[in-house]
Amino acid sequence: MSEEIVYTYKNKVYLNITNKCPCACTFCIRSKKDAIGSADSLWLNHNPSFEEVKQALEGFNLENCEEIIFCGYGEPTNSFDVLIKTAKYIREKLKIKTRVNTNGLGNLVNERNIVKELCENVDAVSISLNCSNKEDYLKTVRPKFGIKSYDAMLDFAKECKEYTDNVMLSVVDVIGNEEVEKCRKIADSINIPLRVRKYDNSQ
Ligand code: SF4
């Protein structure tokens, strides 16, 4: 079984640049299976360098690809330097748009504010809201940073909004309609669109 950095899922191209993540979401696809889409395994034996990611992209058929999404089996901002270098390369050399799917805890992960640099180098940011309150968030997302994580994620989203219009919040539909509507109110209150994802759709 070969580990994979680039893979496709439902006709979209994804980058798997790290398996590190400060969370342990109860619904995380990683605990259910080793891969999704075209990948054999999304478990990496090391964090790929920028050169390795670039090489993986060069060996991949990107014809008709309109967007490359940083996602995979980990939190992309856990490999922030590689994320930024790769986003620059994709924009400048491949002329393809990029999106980051993130848990929004990148400032805590990197122990500095990464929002401006992130938003300036990618075309869209999708942040997992997951829950309508910090207590449920703590139980569902199980972030290693504890109770401060929910507010940190919302602050991250609000700050992204200062640098880009292409920011969205997301929830997985397993939380139920009532909770989705509460999340929608939160998203509306900070003027960010909410995307409701199907549970079997890991993106
Ligand atoms: S943040 Fe994403 S990768 Fe991390 S545990 Fe949650 S669903 Fe899995």
PDB file of all heavy atoms in Angstrom, residues 70-87:
ATOM      1  N   PHE A  70      -6.077  21.745   0.104  1.00  0.00           N
ATOM      2  CA  PHE A  70      -5.236  21.218   1.176  1.00  0.00           C
ATOM      3  C   PHE A  70      -6.161  20.608   2.221  1.00  0.00           C
ATOM      4  O   PHE A  70      -6.971  21.304   2.834  1.00  0.00           O
ATOM      5  CB  PHE A  70      -4.425  22.343   1.825  1.00  0.00           C
ATOM      6  CG  PHE A  70      -3.357  22.935   0.957  1.00  0.00           C
ATOM      7  CD1 PHE A  70      -3.651  23.967   0.067  1.00  0.00           C
ATOM      8  CD2 PHE A  70      -2.048  22.467   1.024  1.00  0.00           C
ATOM      9  CE1 PHE A  70      -2.658  24.521  -0.731  1.00  0.00           C
ATOM     10  CE2 PHE A  70      -1.048  23.012   0.233  1.00  0.00           C
ATOM     11  CZ  PHE A  70      -1.353  24.039  -0.651  1.00  0.00           C
ATOM     12  N   CYS A  71      -6.065  19.301   2.387  1.00  0.00           N
ATOM     13  CA  CYS A  71      -6.955  18.650   3.347  1.00  0.00           C
ATOM     14  C   CYS A  71      -6.286  17.388   3.866  1.00  0.00           C
ATOM     15  O   CYS A  71      -5.374  17.447   4.661  1.00  0.00           O
ATOM     16  CB  CYS A  71      -8.305  18.358   2.681  1.00  0.00           C
ATOM     17  SG  CYS A  71      -9.523  17.766   3.835  1.00  0.00           S
ATOM     18  N   GLY A  72      -6.677  16.227   3.378  1.00  0.00           N
ATOM     19  CA  GLY A  72      -5.995  14.987   3.738  1.00  0.00           C
ATOM     20  C   GLY A  72      -6.247  14.514   5.153  1.00  0.00           C
ATOM     21  O   GLY A  72      -7.201  14.937   5.818  1.00  0.00           O
ATOM     22  N   TYR A  73      -5.342  13.624   5.611  1.00  0.00           N
ATOM     23  CA  TYR A  73      -5.499  12.984   6.916  1.00  0.00           C
ATOM     24  C   TYR A  73      -4.728  13.738   7.997  1.00  0.00           C
ATOM     25  O   TYR A  73      -3.941  13.159   8.748  1.00  0.00           O
ATOM     26  CB  TYR A  73      -5.024  11.526   6.825  1.00  0.00           C
ATOM     27  CG  TYR A  73      -6.139  10.550   6.502  1.00  0.00           C
ATOM     28  CD1 TYR A  73      -7.297  10.979   5.870  1.00  0.00           C
ATOM     29  CD2 TYR A  73      -6.035   9.204   6.835  1.00  0.00           C
ATOM     30  CE1 TYR A  73      -8.320  10.099   5.570  1.00  0.00           C
ATOM     31  CE2 TYR A  73      -7.054   8.308   6.538  1.00  0.00           C
ATOM     32  CZ  TYR A  73      -8.195   8.775   5.910  1.00  0.00           C
ATOM     33  OH  TYR A  73      -9.206   7.898   5.620  1.00  0.00           O
ATOM     34  N   GLY A  74      -4.958  15.035   8.079  1.00  0.00           N
ATOM     35  CA  GLY A  74      -4.293  15.834   9.094  1.00  0.00           C
ATOM     36  C   GLY A  74      -4.680  17.286   8.908  1.00  0.00           C
ATOM     37  O   GLY A  74      -5.410  17.630   7.970  1.00  0.00           O
ATOM     38  N   GLU A  75      -4.177  18.140   9.786  1.00  0.00           N
ATOM     39  CA  GLU A  75      -4.501  19.560   9.737  1.00  0.00           C
ATOM     40  C   GLU A  75      -3.395  20.291   8.945  1.00  0.00           C
ATOM     41  O   GLU A  75      -2.245  20.341   9.399  1.00  0.00           O
ATOM     42  CB  GLU A  75      -4.599  20.085  11.181  1.00  0.00           C
ATOM     43  CG  GLU A  75      -4.541  21.579  11.343  1.00  0.00           C
ATOM     44  CD  GLU A  75      -5.554  22.331  10.454  1.00  0.00           C
ATOM     45  OE1 GLU A  75      -6.670  21.858  10.235  1.00  0.00           O
ATOM     46  OE2 GLU A  75      -5.172  23.420   9.974  1.00  0.00           O
ATOM     47  N   PRO A  76      -3.731  20.850   7.773  1.00  0.00           N
ATOM     48  CA  PRO A  76      -2.694  21.441   6.908  1.00  0.00           C
ATOM     49  C   PRO A  76      -1.836  22.509   7.579  1.00  0.00           C
ATOM     50  O   PRO A  76      -0.647  22.618   7.283  1.00  0.00           O
ATOM     51  CB  PRO A  76      -3.503  22.046   5.749  1.00  0.00           C
ATOM     52  CG  PRO A  76      -4.799  21.297   5.747  1.00  0.00           C
ATOM     53  CD  PRO A  76      -5.077  20.910   7.159  1.00  0.00           C
ATOM     54  N   THR A  77      -2.422  23.280   8.530  1.00  0.00           N
ATOM     55  CA  THR A  77      -1.599  24.337   9.149  1.00  0.00           C
ATOM     56  C   THR A  77      -0.570  23.759  10.126  1.00  0.00           C
ATOM     57  O   THR A  77       0.276  24.487  10.626  1.00  0.00           O
ATOM     58  CB  THR A  77      -2.472  25.394   9.870  1.00  0.00           C
ATOM     59  OG1 THR A  77      -3.203  24.767  10.928  1.00  0.00           O
ATOM     60  CG2 THR A  77      -3.434  26.070   8.909  1.00  0.00           C
ATOM     61  N   ASN A  78      -0.638  22.447  10.370  1.00  0.00           N
ATOM     62  CA  ASN A  78       0.415  21.806  11.152  1.00  0.00           C
ATOM     63  C   ASN A  78       1.709  21.691  10.357  1.00  0.00           C
ATOM     64  O   ASN A  78       2.758  21.373  10.910  1.00  0.00           O
ATOM     65  CB  ASN A  78      -0.016  20.407  11.597  1.00  0.00           C
ATOM     66  CG  ASN A  78      -0.555  20.400  13.008  1.00  0.00           C
ATOM     67  OD1 ASN A  78      -1.681  20.820  13.231  1.00  0.00           O
ATOM     68  ND2 ASN A  78       0.250  19.961  13.957  1.00  0.00           N
ATOM     69  N   SER A  79       1.606  21.909   9.041  1.00  0.00           N
ATOM     70  CA  SER A  79       2.796  21.915   8.194  1.00  0.00           C
ATOM     71  C   SER A  79       2.770  23.237   7.415  1.00  0.00           C
ATOM     72  O   SER A  79       2.757  23.266   6.191  1.00  0.00           O
ATOM     73  CB  SER A  79       2.761  20.704   7.260  1.00  0.00           C
ATOM     74  OG  SER A  79       4.026  20.413   6.771  1.00  0.00           O
ATOM     75  N   PHE A  80       2.748  24.323   8.186  1.00  0.00           N
ATOM     76  CA  PHE A  80       2.429  25.639   7.608  1.00  0.00           C
ATOM     77  C   PHE A  80       3.451  26.097   6.561  1.00  0.00           C
ATOM     78  O   PHE A  80       3.081  26.641   5.516  1.00  0.00           O
ATOM     79  CB  PHE A  80       2.312  26.676   8.731  1.00  0.00           C
ATOM     80  CG  PHE A  80       1.730  27.977   8.252  1.00  0.00           C
ATOM     81  CD1 PHE A  80       0.449  28.026   7.716  1.00  0.00           C
ATOM     82  CD2 PHE A  80       2.462  29.146   8.313  1.00  0.00           C
ATOM     83  CE1 PHE A  80      -0.097  29.222   7.259  1.00  0.00           C
ATOM     84  CE2 PHE A  80       1.916  30.347   7.866  1.00  0.00           C
ATOM     85  CZ  PHE A  80       0.645  30.384   7.334  1.00  0.00           C
ATOM     86  N   ASP A  81       4.706  25.877   6.828  1.00  0.00           N
ATOM     87  CA  ASP A  81       5.742  26.312   5.895  1.00  0.00           C
ATOM     88  C   ASP A  81       5.561  25.624   4.528  1.00  0.00           C
ATOM     89  O   ASP A  81       5.609  26.273   3.476  1.00  0.00           O
ATOM     90  CB  ASP A  81       7.113  25.971   6.511  1.00  0.00           C
ATOM     91  CG  ASP A  81       8.245  26.482   5.653  1.00  0.00           C
ATOM     92  OD1 ASP A  81       8.178  27.658   5.260  1.00  0.00           O
ATOM     93  OD2 ASP A  81       9.182  25.706   5.371  1.00  0.00           O
ATOM     94  N   VAL A  82       5.307  24.324   4.560  1.00  0.00           N
ATOM     95  CA  VAL A  82       5.096  23.557   3.321  1.00  0.00           C
ATOM     96  C   VAL A  82       3.801  24.005   2.642  1.00  0.00           C
ATOM     97  O   VAL A  82       3.741  24.149   1.415  1.00  0.00           O
ATOM     98  CB  VAL A  82       5.081  22.036   3.620  1.00  0.00           C
ATOM     99  CG1 VAL A  82       4.669  21.242   2.383  1.00  0.00           C
ATOM    100  CG2 VAL A  82       6.439  21.573   4.113  1.00  0.00           C
ATOM    101  N   LEU A  83       2.795  24.261   3.445  1.00  0.00           N
ATOM    102  CA  LEU A  83       1.513  24.729   2.892  1.00  0.00           C
ATOM    103  C   LEU A  83       1.724  26.030   2.099  1.00  0.00           C
ATOM    104  O   LEU A  83       1.284  26.146   0.947  1.00  0.00           O
ATOM    105  CB  LEU A  83       0.539  24.963   4.052  1.00  0.00           C
ATOM    106  CG  LEU A  83      -0.944  25.216   3.768  1.00  0.00           C
ATOM    107  CD1 LEU A  83      -1.741  25.120   5.072  1.00  0.00           C
ATOM    108  CD2 LEU A  83      -1.241  26.540   3.144  1.00  0.00           C
ATOM    109  N   ILE A  84       2.402  26.981   2.704  1.00  0.00           N
ATOM    110  CA  ILE A  84       2.596  28.285   2.051  1.00  0.00           C
ATOM    111  C   ILE A  84       3.464  28.155   0.792  1.00  0.00           C
ATOM    112  O   ILE A  84       3.134  28.688  -0.271  1.00  0.00           O
ATOM    113  CB  ILE A  84       3.202  29.312   3.042  1.00  0.00           C
ATOM    114  CG1 ILE A  84       2.188  29.610   4.150  1.00  0.00           C
ATOM    115  CG2 ILE A  84       3.626  30.606   2.334  1.00  0.00           C
ATOM    116  CD1 ILE A  84       0.872  30.227   3.686  1.00  0.00           C
ATOM    117  N   LYS A  85       4.563  27.419   0.915  1.00  0.00           N
ATOM    118  CA  LYS A  85       5.442  27.242  -0.262  1.00  0.00           C
ATOM    119  C   LYS A  85       4.677  26.558  -1.391  1.00  0.00           C
ATOM    120  O   LYS A  85       4.808  26.922  -2.568  1.00  0.00           O
ATOM    121  CB  LYS A  85       6.669  26.396   0.113  1.00  0.00           C
ATOM    122  CG  LYS A  85       7.718  27.177   0.856  1.00  0.00           C
ATOM    123  CD  LYS A  85       8.943  26.302   1.083  1.00  0.00           C
ATOM    124  CE  LYS A  85       9.981  27.065   1.889  1.00  0.00           C
ATOM    125  NZ  LYS A  85      10.857  26.192   2.649  1.00  0.00           N
ATOM    126  N   THR A  86       3.878  25.560  -1.045  1.00  0.00           N
ATOM    127  CA  THR A  86       3.119  24.827  -2.065  1.00  0.00           C
ATOM    128  C   THR A  86       2.041  25.713  -2.684  1.00  0.00           C
ATOM    129  O   THR A  86       1.846  25.700  -3.909  1.00  0.00           O
ATOM    130  CB  THR A  86       2.478  23.563  -1.447  1.00  0.00           C
ATOM    131  OG1 THR A  86       3.495  22.803  -0.796  1.00  0.00           O
ATOM    132  CG2 THR A  86       1.811  22.714  -2.511  1.00  0.00           C
ATOM    133  N   ALA A  87       1.353  26.488  -1.851  1.00  0.00           N
ATOM    134  CA  ALA A  87       0.300  27.378  -2.375  1.00  0.00           C
ATOM    135  C   ALA A  87       0.904  28.395  -3.352  1.00  0.00           C
ATOM    136  O   ALA A  87       0.329  28.672  -4.414  1.00  0.00           O
ATOM    137  CB  ALA A  87      -0.396  28.089  -1.217  1.00  0.00           C
TER     138      ALA A  87
END
